Each structure stands twice: as C-alpha cells, then as structure tokens.
C-alpha cells in the first residue's frame, strides 16, 4: 500500500477499526453512482467524530503532494475533510487553504460555485473524497476547479471501492491515493 511512518501505521489501524465499527454495513444497497453493492460505506460518522477526523487528517497530510497549496472537495461529504486537513496542517506549521465546491451554483449574491479564499490561477489543488466508486463526484470537482484555472493532479480518498474510479481519474491525468480499499473491509 502506502509508505506510512510507524506512527501513522498505528493511526491507520485505529482509523480502520473506527470505519469498520461506525461506517461499514453489509447488505443490499444502491450507491450514489446507481450501482448495486453488498457493501456500504458512509464515512461521515467517522469524519464528523473528533478522533476520526484527526486520524483522517493526519493520514491525508502524509499522502498529499508537498507542492499542493489547497485542498478542495464537494459539499457535504468533503466539508469536514477539508476543514480537518487545513487545521491539522496549521498545527504543524504547514499552511494550506481550502475550497468547498457547491453541487449547484447559488442563485443569489455572487452566484459562486466555489467557496473559499481568492487564489492565483494555476494554484495546485488536491481534491479530498470520502469514498470513491466511479469517481463521478471527484471528476465534477476537478472540472469545476479546472474551469476556475486551478491545477489538479491528485485525489485523496479514505476508501477506494475499486469500481472504476481509479481508471476514470487516470483518464483525467489524476492520481488516486486512498487510505483503504474495499478489500480492507471484506
């Protein structure tokens, strides 16, 4: 998998335990992609838990491209992820900004589709996801960031379901780095 430090190997083990306990269900489910699956992962009970978000944020910081200046994600699932990563980074004297991508452009005010600080064109942005299945949500974020003249090279996810997301991102010249794959839960 990834070359994690010893401390982060322990963090990874602890995070997996939390995800199995609070996020993973076995049954018959329809996913956001429309696919049917016997495995369901909802990472929000862990990403909206203080200890869970701390573990995720530390592990994501170890994976992130050191040249990245911004983390971004699609609201609602990525909101705690981008917030957790920038706060954890700041506590380590690493400074990142965050962008939240709206699912729909607001119809009032500035009609913004991207919320966050004003950044220079060409800024390198890392996209954060909770679960990647087909990468449809991540690609929406990447397209919106590219429309705003940002550079995107990678997506970090908590879990890769191994259902085509890696390949879809590769077609976009994007690297997918995941903390876990569905095999870790089966």
């Amino acid at each position: 998998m990834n070359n994690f430090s010893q401390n982060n190997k322990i963090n990874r083990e602890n995070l997996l335990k939390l995800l199995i306990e609070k996020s993973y269900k076995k049954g018959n489910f329809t996913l956001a992609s429309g696919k049917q699956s016997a495995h369901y992962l909802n990472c929000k009970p862990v990403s909206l838990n203080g200890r869970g978000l701390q573990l995720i944020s530390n592990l994501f910081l170890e994976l992130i491209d050191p040249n990245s200046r911004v983390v971004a994600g699609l609201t609602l699932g990525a909101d705690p992820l981008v917030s957790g990563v920038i706060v954890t980074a700041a506590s380590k004297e690493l400074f990142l900004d965050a962008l939240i991508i709206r699912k729909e452009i607001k119809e009032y005010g500035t009609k913004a589709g991207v919320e966050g600080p004003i950044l220079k064109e060409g800024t390198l942005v890392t996209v954060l996801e909770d679960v990647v299945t087909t990468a449809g949500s991540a690609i929406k974020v990447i397209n919106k960031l590219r429309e705003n003249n940002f550079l995107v090279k990678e997506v970090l996810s908590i879990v890769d379901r191994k259902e085509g997301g890696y390949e879809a991102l590769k077609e976009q010249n994007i690297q997918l780095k995941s903390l876990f794959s569905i095999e870790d839960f089966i």
Side-chain angles (χ1 to χ4, degrees), residues 14-34:
N14 289 333
L15 178 58
L16 182 58
K17 286 177 191 172
L18 273 175
L19 288 166
I20 289 169
E21 177 186 319
K22 297 179 182 282
S23 297
Y24 175 74
K25 292 185 180 5
K26 193 166 177 148
N28 189 12
F29 304 96
T30 302
L31 307 177
S33 64

Side-chain angles (χ1 to χ4, degrees), residues 53-141:
L53 184 57
Q54 182 182 47
L55 292 167
I56 293 164
S57 299
N58 277 301
L59 291 166
F60 272 177
L61 277 177
E62 191 145 325
L63 289 181
I64 196 168
D65 181 326
N67 296 312
S68 186
R69 296 290 163 248
V70 181
V71 291
L74 189 65
T75 198
L76 175 86
D79 292 358
L81 302 177
V82 298
S83 299
V85 167
I86 65 171
V87 169
T88 301
S91 74
K92 297 177 181 202
E93 301 289 321
L94 304 169
F95 298 99
L96 294 169
D97 284 314
L99 298 171
I100 298 291
I101 311 303
R102 291 179 176 275
K103 290 181 182 175
E104 296 178 20
I105 294 176
K106 63 183 185 176
E107 296 295 320
Y108 54 90
T110 61
K111 299 182 180 179
V114 178
E115 297 290 349
I118 303 205
L119 304 165
K120 289 197 283 187
E121 288 186 8
T123 299
L124 182 59
V125 180
T126 295
V127 174
L128 305 182
E129 277 278 6
D130 50 3
V131 179
V132 170
T133 303
T134 62
S137 295
I139 291 170
K140 284 180 190 173
V141 171

